[in-house]
Amino acid sequence: MSGHAARTATADVVCLGESMVTFLPSQPGRLADVPSFGRGIGGAESNVACALAAGGHRAKWVGRVGADGFGDHLVDTIADYGVDTSAVRRDAGRPTGVYFRTAADRATDTHEVAYYRAGSAASAMSPSNVPYEDLFATRILHLSGITAALSADCLALLHDLTAPRDGRPLISFDVNHRPGLWRDGEAGPEVLLALARRCDLVFVGEDEAEEAWGVHGTEAIRAVLPEPDVLVVKRGAEGVTVYARTGSGAADDTVTTVPSLRVDVVAAVGAGDAFAAGFLSATLRDLPVRDRARHGHLMAAAVLTVPGDLTGPPPRAYADRLAALDDEAWGTLRLGPGWTAAPGANEEVRVT
């Protein structure tokens, strides 16, 4: 992380993006048939901030919400996780975004999401109304491709934040390709590729890279993204492959593949954001690349074994014990609901 901390860092990680109130179904079924919904929050970047704050880091979320009750709920809920929300701005002329989703797995054809975010307060973020002094007073600035898709002003903001400049923090970027968010006629994949190439640490799914850029396999993805110092390719059940730059060219990469954990999944939501949070947490601690990826898997497993998008992480000492397992023990580890409660000091790490 050398070379990225010229300013005084008042936060470990700052996350910029839209957070919305999400309405979760009371029972399975089509949106047309679900009789009632419970209220939660959702937002890729605020999810990362909440997970990092719950894990003991100084995390700040920067965004815009409406001057309405939903905006109050968002800010209060995110702050309850320990996140600094002092840089959140209110917009009296635009509402807080909301969305409804079904209970079905997002990967299935029966999953439905209804977004009501067009014209939201967050979509009005721009280089002229976002507090840059908060964005750059950090060790890591975490961004997402979702923000780029919200409006032309949001895209201009991401272009500006990823531009080379003296003293900028380490820029982390989760590609988060969401085809349905891009407006007609806009070349979302090309925009996301250009943004990712200007960042220091990039997260991208192998499947989304193929969908967006027509490339298959980790080496091909690295070939189209040679610039980031660290490229994390998420490969679903097969784990992740991390390319870490050790010199001036791609030939100087170290390539580390870390298998996924076996997890008894309760709800397949929020895992990507949780993985990013775990990886960033371990990056802040200067852990080896293998352990960064393992902490990402562990944080993802914490979310996968609860119903919602957010949960408290395992105690750091317990996560460190699991991340330090040898390859054989890591490969046989299985985690289910309640696993984040650390065993007693005299108990062995649970491996099945």
Side-chain angles (χ1 to χ4, degrees):
M1 294 198 46
S2 61
H4 290 283
R7 290 176 172 85
T8 299
T10 59
D12 294 323
V13 180
V14 170
C15 302
L16 167 82
E18 178 171 33
S19 192
M20 295 178 291
V21 171
T22 175
F23 289 94
L24 311 173
S26 59
Q27 64 186 45
R30 302 183 309 152
L31 284 178
D33 301 326
V34 174
S36 60
F37 296 80
R39 184 179 64 175
I41 67 169
E45 302 84 4
S46 60
N47 285 349
V48 172
C50 289
L52 285 165
H57 296 285
R58 298 176 302 162
K60 178 179 287 189
W61 173 59
V62 177
R64 288 176 72 84
V65 299
D68 50 34
F70 287 148
D72 294 341
H73 175 66
L74 274 177
V75 174
D76 291 346
T77 303
I78 292 169
D80 283 345
Y81 278 88
V83 177
D84 181 349
T85 58
S86 61
V88 176
R89 298 293 184 259
R90 299 298 184 110
D91 190 325
R94 297 177 179 85
T96 303
V98 302
Y99 73 97
F100 297 76
R101 67 171 173 84
T102 56
D105 188 324
R106 289 177 180 173
T108 69
D109 292 337
T110 58
H111 181 68
E112 299 173 73
V113 179
Y115 288 107
Y116 299 90
R117 73 197 309 177
S120 69
S123 69
M125 289 188 295
S126 75
S128 65
N129 63 19
V130 169
Y132 274 50
E133 64 275 13
D134 291 286
L135 294 177
F136 290 133
T138 182
R139 296 174 64 189
I140 298 175
L141 174 60
H142 180 68
L143 308 170
S144 158
I146 294 173
T147 304
L150 297 181
S151 68
D153 282 342
C154 284
L155 176 54
L157 175 62
L158 286 204
H159 272 300
D160 196 42
L161 293 177
T162 57
R165 69 180 76 217
D166 291 338
R168 83 174 193 181
L170 186 150
I171 306 292
S172 167
F173 183 74
D174 193 333
V175 171
N176 266 330
H177 179 226
R178 300 287 189 270
L181 291 181
W182 289 91
R183 298 160 294 281
D184 291 343
E186 290 189 322
E190 289 81 359
V191 169
L192 293 175
L193 183 60
L195 289 171
R197 294 181 67 177
R198 293 151 64 106
C199 298
D200 305 299
L201 165 58
V202 172
F203 300 93
V204 64
E206 190 172 32
D207 54 347
E208 70 178 339
E210 184 167 13
E211 179 184 25
W213 307 319
V215 295
H216 179 70
T218 60
E219 291 186 5
I221 296 170
R222 182 53 159 169
V224 300
L225 281 170
E227 293 86 359
D229 293 331
V230 178
L231 173 66
V232 182
V233 182
K234 298 176 289 185
R235 305 170 62 204
E238 294 184 31
V240 299
T241 297
V242 183
Y243 292 83
R245 181 68 38 77
T246 58
S248 58
D252 299 311
D253 276 341
T254 60
V255 183
T256 306
T257 296
V258 180
S260 292
L261 290 162
R262 293 186 297 164
V263 178
D264 297 329
V265 176
V266 172
V269 293
D273 302 331
F275 180 91
F279 194 96
L280 291 174
S281 173
T283 298
L284 287 164
R285 297 168 61 202
D286 291 322
L287 298 184
V289 168
R290 185 206 70 170
D291 290 3
R292 298 181 193 190
R294 285 189 171 187
H295 276 278
H297 285 316
L298 289 166
M299 192 78 85
V303 168
L304 289 170
T305 50
V306 298
D309 291 34
L310 290 167
T311 190
R316 182 175 291 182
Y318 182 35
D320 284 344
R321 289 171 64 193
L322 295 177
L325 291 171
D326 60 36
D327 289 345
E328 181 179 359
W330 177 264
T332 56
L333 190 63
R334 183 166 191 152
L335 303 175
W339 76 268
T340 56
N346 296 321
E347 293 181 59
E348 293 296 322
V349 173
R350 291 169 290 182
V351 179
T352 61

